[in-house]
Amino acid sequence: MKNIVLIGFMGSGKTVISKVLSKKLKRDIVDIDVLIEKKTKMKIKNIFKKFGEEYFRDLEEKITAKVSKKKNIIISTGGGIIKRENNIKNLKKNGIIIYLKNTFKTSCERLKGKKNRPLFNEKNLKATKKLFLQRLKLYKNAADIIIKTDNKSIKQVSEEIIEKIKYL
Ligand code: S3P
């Protein structure tokens, strides 16, 4: 069976939805950010601080290429996965890409007070919104399926995904 790959902006619910899908569909889950943190023994925030974004993107690309070879798993990605075309190319080989789409307002509400995302700056929401708008097209182009998540519960979103992938 094809992998189910979740993409979307920070705060779109990729991590939590991937956990629910993993339980409901009895499939293993791989979270690319978690793998990066395990491999480097560092928090993502600190990788960005110490080595910069490009270093993080290189790690992300390497790990994505490896994970993409697996089958029948749920893959949760980081919000910037769409920055490199190669990631999407690899993930599509064995996977269906599901874009969890929400408004910028919803991301802000979900991430309120969380300080672990180097590219989500509550003190400079203008820059973060710019990033959000720049990425919209990239998520849309990469997606096989788009699921809108605003004002929906975790249960509703996961059930919607399960219903959609039934017919693939
Ligand atoms: C990033 C999103 C983060 C993480 C890193 C970069 C991004 O993951 O990969 O901070 O560029 O959008 P989440 O989308 O899980 O927050």
Side-chain angles (χ1 to χ4, degrees):
M1 279 238 263
K2 283 208 159 198
N3 297 326
I4 297 171
V5 182
L6 299 183
I7 66 167
F9 197 66
M10 293 170 272
S12 59
K14 302 175 296 280
T15 302
V16 63
I17 299 291
S18 64
K19 286 181 184 161
V20 174
L21 290 178
S22 158
K23 260 198 196 152
K24 287 202 179 192
L25 299 170
K26 298 190 176 58
R27 296 212 213 176
D28 287 342
I29 176 174
V30 171
D31 184 314
I32 291 174
D33 280 347
V34 170
L35 281 189
I36 293 173
E37 291 191 336
K38 266 193 194 153
K39 198 178 156 77
T40 56
K41 298 191 180 69
M42 283 176 83
K43 290 281 169 208
I44 285 172
K45 194 175 78 178
N46 296 329
I47 302 176
F48 268 73
K49 223 193 249 169
K50 200 162 174 203
F51 301 114
E53 180 173 351
E54 282 315 292
Y55 181 87
F56 172 80
R57 298 295 170 206
D58 289 343
L59 281 174
E60 185 177 51
E61 189 173 352
K62 252 188 228 158
I63 289 181
T64 302
K66 256 196 197 160
V67 170
S68 298
K69 294 196 175 120
K70 294 179 183 263
K71 284 188 181 137
N72 203 27
I73 57 169
I74 314 283
I75 302 176
S76 179
T77 64
I81 200 79
I82 34 70
K83 285 195 77 176
R84 293 201 179 170
E85 241 175 82
N86 196 36
N87 292 336
I88 299 304
K89 205 177 98 200
N90 281 327
L91 288 164
K92 273 193 188 270
K93 281 182 194 155
N94 288 329
I96 302 163
I97 304 210
I98 299 181
Y99 167 25
L100 300 182
K101 185 173 188 206
N102 57 264
T103 60
F104 183 63
K105 188 167 162 260
T106 299
S107 274
C108 290
E109 282 163 9
R110 290 180 184 154
L111 297 180
K112 203 163 192 259
K114 296 200 173 156
K115 303 214 181 315
N116 53 347
R117 286 174 174 83
L119 297 181
F120 197 97
N121 187 353
E122 277 193 305
K123 289 192 192 114
N124 188 357
L125 279 183
K126 218 176 154 192
T128 316
K129 176 146 195 199
K130 195 172 162 210
L131 186 67
F132 175 87
L133 293 174
Q134 277 169 356
R135 287 184 177 175
L136 281 177
K137 207 173 169 193
L138 296 174
Y139 293 125
K140 187 170 169 260
N141 289 346
D144 296 306
I145 294 173
I146 299 175
I147 307 272
K148 288 193 178 165
T149 72
D150 298 292
N151 305 313
K152 287 184 192 161
S153 67
I154 292 164
K155 189 166 176 270
Q156 274 174 310
V157 172
S158 26
E159 280 170 2
E160 215 176 294
I161 293 174
I162 290 171
E163 191 55 32
K164 287 250 163 80
I165 58 170
K166 253 192 203 164
Y167 303 105
L168 290 175

